[in-house]
Amino acid sequence: MVRGIDLDLAAGTLVRVEGANGSGKSTLLRLLAGIDTPTEGRLTGRPRTAYVPERFPVSLPFTAGGYLVRLGRIHGLRGTVAEARAAEWLERFGAAGHFRTPMSQLSKGTSQKVAVAQALLAGPELLVLDEAWTGLDASARTELDRAVAERVAAGGTVVFVDHDPRRLAGAADEVYAVVDRGLERRTDETPAAAHGPRVRIVAEGPPGAAPPVGLPGSPASVPCQDGSVLLTAPAVHSDALLRALLTARPPWHIREVRAAAEPPPAAAAPVTTPSGTTGSGTLSSGPASSPMTTRHSSA
């Protein structure tokens, strides 16, 4: 049960939700995904939403490919498009050989790859991930990191819970914690990061290519005469930025990493704090074209 939630999720943002076991994180994510409904309150609007639950049902009467194609059709994809997307995502997660494998015969790790693939098939506007990395091998976890970055760069909203505090470290635009059944916003690190230490990364990609879109830390980019690119970003985002470059498709080669001498001046960024009284709250999400607002007291 969660109470007094007041939350506004903007398009093109990555949001992390933290909290102790049993605090209500999964309840909040199920509300966001539209799986559960609040006992009191309202919800207006609904972006196209996809959800990866903490526990994915594995004993389904489908093959992996058949299940994904069916889900793709439910999300509005034509049959041939759904089949192509299913094959693409299974390949990206290293499970292409299981397209025709019955779901009941899949390993736990491969089942989790199918669970993640079904949520990414149709390019959702709101992607809700509840411990989605759990059970994936290292390569698939990296691929999911990349898929999340792609969704955010495309203007989608991604909300996730993960037990590993290093997951997408420094990449989240907002961090919230479920405490005493309510929601608290953690201190926004972005303004502090803008005035703190910075890192300079010299990277080289394919000839003539611009840096990937949606890089963590929104680095400043300056092309160099030798074809490489100089990226400057807050040091707090350095690990996530390096990971994004190294796992890009195709990957970028890192030639040099060094501390920047002086941080540039930065404009102040507004920080808002969720508000609300016990017994009521607001929950909103999605692109401007499809806003979602929920007001509820408990669920």
Side-chain angles (χ1 to χ4, degrees), residues 85-125:
R85 295 275 184 89
E88 174 191 352
W89 282 108
L90 286 177
E91 181 177 3
R92 286 185 62 169
F93 286 110
H98 294 284
F99 191 93
R100 292 181 172 81
T101 303
M103 295 280 289
S104 60
Q105 297 179 16
L106 296 177
S107 67
K108 181 179 179 180
T110 304
S111 294
Q112 187 63 14
K113 293 177 181 180
V114 175
V116 174
Q118 61 83 23
L120 294 164
L121 279 174
E125 295 168 329

Side-chain angles (χ1 to χ4, degrees), residues 32-60:
L32 280 170
I35 305 301
D36 291 341
T37 56
T39 54
E40 295 182 16
R42 70 174 186 269
L43 184 150
T44 59
R46 165 58 65 183
R48 290 185 295 104
T49 304
Y51 171 59
V52 178
E54 184 177 11
R55 293 179 178 83
F56 182 68
V58 295
S59 298
L60 298 172

Side-chain angles (χ1 to χ4, degrees), residues 204-210 226-228 250 252:
E204 184 176 0
D226 61 1
S228 62
W252 280 57

